[in-house]
Amino acid sequence: MAETKREIERKYESDDGGLPDLTGVTGVAAVLDKGVAELDATYYDTADARLLAASLTLRRRTGGSDAGWHLKFPVAPGVRDEIRAPLSDTLPRALAGLIRSHVRDAELAPVVRLRSARDVRHLVDDEGRLLAEVSVDTVRADRLTGDGGSARWTEIEVELADGGDPDFLDKVDKRLRKAGVRPSGSASKLARAIAETEPGRKRRAKAKPKARQDGKPAAGANASVAPVTAGDHVLVFLRAQRAAIIGLDPAVRRDLPRSVHRMRVATRRMRSAFRSHAKVLDRTVTDPIGEELKWLAGELGVDRDQEVLTDRLTAALDALPRPLVTGPVRNRLRAWARAHGDGSRGRLVAVLDGERYLALLATLDRLVDEPPLLPAAAGAPEKVLAKAVRKDFGQVAALVEEALGQPPGAGRDLALHDARKKVKRTRYCAETAAPALGGPAADLVRLMKSLQGLLGDHQDSVMTREALCDLAARAHAAGESAFTYGVLYAREERRAELVEAALPEAWESIGAAMAV
């Protein structure tokens, strides 16, 4: 069984390698000597260092109090989530799944071995509570691939106690700096080991990729190269979405908040880019990819849509005065949510483990490495991207005006939903163009985001009312009162009416802003 630990730590180095006296740090009552632990860790990666490129760390370590397999994910500077699994000869399945989107079918192999003598101190307060663990690590690193060599160094590591105040680390930092200790130049031991054991590292310099002027990235080029053509800007956007899908895969598997939503949005952004920039990208190539992205978004949406509905219904029920709640409404809502979400997490993980999904990731890699660019990709972004934005906005205008011209009812609901989807596409198109077009595109992003929120509230109300009808029917069939579901339905209907009443003025203001 894997467990997660949030690590908040800072690393330092000093010329003499010793640990300054920390008893003067505010809040520290004592520094307790916990002895020396001998640690032996082997780090794994693919031959082309995919985990390192994603800032992920996978190791098998013996010694110390937490021997086992450790997989570390970056959260913020100095903050990582460490997923731990018991010691075994082979990589535990739970950890293998979390790196599958990065590793795919590549083989994991040992790349570095780190042996450390860890001299541990505990900083405690006047009640004996642990504030932080400080260690002086004497490290030997041996590269296990190619002609790599060895390296040795000593570093100081300060790790905040579980549930501790991160501000305490600033106090320790101030004391260490005053004593001449400086922050480490490496983010982790592995990064330092890789750098210091690289064959010929002092003799070899990396060549910088040369930019091309035909809209295609040069060999080895990536999103860090400044975009020049319309094709460059579109590719920067596509690479960001590809990276988001791959990077969010572990978070979805871990069921982290908003991870499913964010991954789903990335698939939508990419599909929208294919449609909006059909003059830049060959649709005979991108249309099939778009269909696969639509499939993935649908799989992600099963869990996400149910989550949104349940949260909305729960909040609405919480807001009702108690006399309006009749019957076992909360129990039925919980049972309904479980029934609709039962097995969805396992089903979604199975999708992410499936061949179809992995094939899609490989296709996305090929798409950004060998993009199907058309002649317009070499054009000036101020012209090509601006034309795409104007076209999308024109389609939004037609759909919104068509919806506002319809009487309230199912027809208008559907028309507003269609308009909402086009608003999203226009927003994403403007996001792609904003780095090239500047203020006007950024303004359109803001306006479309506002309109998307308004139309989103309306669509959520439509879906919530459908769910309430289902709940009321189930309650009635069980002999329960359906009164509360009717009250909630009426409130949702009113919310939709308010949105529809606000839309004409909101749309008029958007039109006026775009006419400037």
Side-chain angles (χ1 to χ4, degrees):
M1 178 68 70
E3 61 175 349
T4 302
K5 182 180 186 303
R6 174 65 55 89
E7 287 186 340
I8 303 177
E9 62 183 20
R10 301 185 188 181
K11 295 179 181 295
Y12 301 87
E13 52 191 54
S14 68
D15 294 330
D16 60 17
L19 182 66
D21 180 17
L22 297 177
T23 54
V25 175
T26 303
V28 175
V31 179
L32 307 180
D33 188 344
K34 307 303 289 186
V36 177
E38 298 293 335
L39 309 177
D40 191 342
T42 300
Y43 290 77
Y44 291 78
D45 206 338
T46 61
D48 53 357
R50 298 180 189 182
L51 297 184
L52 182 64
S55 299
L56 304 181
T57 301
L58 174 65
R59 72 185 179 200
R60 180 185 185 275
R61 189 167 78 181
T62 58
S65 60
D66 61 347
W69 288 88
H70 303 157
L71 174 59
K72 298 190 179 188
F73 290 92
V75 176
V79 183
R80 294 185 294 182
D81 277 348
E82 182 177 274
I83 316 298
R84 297 175 176 178
L87 196 63
S88 61
D89 293 335
T90 59
L91 178 63
R93 183 176 180 180
L95 300 192
L98 294 176
I99 58 175
R100 184 165 286 116
S101 65
H102 295 281
V103 174
R104 319 275 177 82
D105 57 356
E107 182 180 355
L108 286 169
V111 292
V112 167
R113 182 182 182 187
L114 293 181
R115 282 168 285 184
S116 307
R118 170 164 290 183
D119 191 358
V120 180
R121 304 284 193 280
H122 281 184
L123 308 184
V124 299
D125 63 13
D126 54 7
E127 295 184 5
R129 291 176 298 200
L130 180 65
L131 300 173
E133 180 176 284
V134 182
S135 63
V136 179
D137 295 346
T138 303
V139 184
R140 173 190 168 97
D142 295 294
R143 184 177 281 247
L144 304 177
T145 59
D147 299 323
S150 299
R152 295 176 181 270
W153 69 87
T154 298
E155 68 179 34
I156 297 171
E157 185 176 290
V158 183
E159 181 176 345
L160 188 68
D162 292 345
D165 182 358
D167 289 342
F168 177 71
L169 294 183
D170 292 334
K171 300 173 183 178
V172 178
D173 179 85
K174 183 178 181 180
R175 177 69 184 90
L176 290 174
R177 289 174 185 260
K178 188 175 181 180
V181 176
R182 58 189 179 277
S184 175
S186 298
S188 66
K189 288 183 175 66
L190 176 61
R192 182 167 183 173
I194 291 291
E196 295 195 9
T197 62
E198 182 182 8
R201 67 186 181 92
K202 296 182 180 180
R203 301 187 301 273
R204 186 172 65 200
K206 294 183 178 179
K208 295 183 178 180
K210 296 181 179 179
R212 291 170 51 159
Q213 303 301 313
D214 59 357
K216 297 181 180 180
N222 53 44
S224 65
V225 177
V228 176
T229 66
D232 290 338
H233 282 275
V234 173
L235 286 175
V236 166
F237 187 80
L238 292 179
R239 288 191 181 102
Q241 309 322 311
R242 189 274 306 262
I245 292 170
I246 295 172
L248 285 166
D249 176 297
V252 170
R253 293 171 185 269
R254 295 170 61 196
D255 199 18
L256 296 185
R258 293 183 58 79
S259 58
V260 170
H261 171 66
R262 291 166 59 202
M263 189 174 183
R264 192 182 185 192
V265 167
T267 68
R268 288 172 170 169
R269 288 177 186 270
M270 186 170 277
R271 287 180 63 219
S272 293
F274 294 161
R275 295 170 180 160
S276 296
H277 304 292
K279 298 293 184 182
V280 173
L281 299 164
D282 185 350
R283 287 195 63 170
T284 64
V285 176
T286 60
D287 278 357
I289 302 174
E291 286 302 309
E292 288 302 284
L293 289 169
K294 182 179 180 180
W295 160 77
L296 177 58
E299 295 291 347
L300 293 165
V302 172
D303 198 60
R304 171 62 182 170
D305 290 344
Q306 182 61 39
E307 178 185 337
V308 170
L309 268 178
T310 300
D311 289 347
R312 189 178 177 101
L313 286 167
T314 301
L317 185 58
D318 290 343
L320 277 185
R322 182 167 296 183
L324 298 182
V325 181
T326 62
V329 181
R330 294 186 188 279
N331 289 340
R332 178 155 297 282
L333 177 57
R334 282 193 290 267
W336 176 84
R338 283 196 302 268
H340 283 73
D342 188 33
S344 62
R345 294 302 310 169
R347 178 199 54 74
L348 182 53
V349 171
V351 168
L352 299 182
D353 284 339
E355 292 299 322
R356 184 175 181 179
Y357 169 70
L358 296 177
L360 172 58
L361 296 186
T363 300
L364 297 182
D365 291 342
R366 290 192 296 271
L367 173 73
V368 299
D369 291 340
E370 301 175 9
L373 298 176
L374 298 174
E382 295 81 3
K383 179 181 292 186
V384 176
L385 300 183
K387 185 176 181 180
V389 171
R390 286 194 299 270
K391 180 180 178 181
D392 277 358
F393 182 74
Q395 293 173 342
V396 166
L399 287 171
V400 171
E401 289 167 6
E402 177 188 350
L404 293 178
Q406 295 192 32
R412 176 185 270 193
D413 291 344
L414 182 59
L416 289 174
H417 182 48
D418 288 341
R420 176 179 175 239
K421 290 187 286 187
K422 189 65 68 175
V423 166
K424 288 182 183 179
R425 175 171 150 185
T426 304
R427 173 188 168 188
Y428 301 151
C429 184
E431 287 176 346
T432 306
L437 304 183
D443 289 342
L444 183 58
V445 170
R446 176 179 55 80
L447 293 170
M448 292 297 96
K449 185 176 181 180
S450 174
L451 183 58
Q452 179 185 330
L454 203 59
L455 293 172
D457 285 343
H458 185 274
Q459 179 61 18
D460 286 347
S461 176
V462 171
M463 299 300 295
T464 303
R465 279 177 279 158
E466 290 181 2
L468 285 167
C469 286
D470 179 40
L471 282 163
R474 292 169 183 266
H476 180 74
E480 301 166 4
S481 171
F483 171 79
T484 299
Y485 306 106
V487 173
L488 293 173
Y489 187 98
R491 290 193 168 200
E492 283 294 342
E493 197 169 43
R494 180 56 180 161
R495 290 176 71 172
E497 289 172 355
L498 292 174
V499 170
E500 292 182 33
L503 270 173
E505 182 178 348
W507 178 244
E508 184 178 348
S509 65
I510 289 173
M514 293 301 296
V516 175

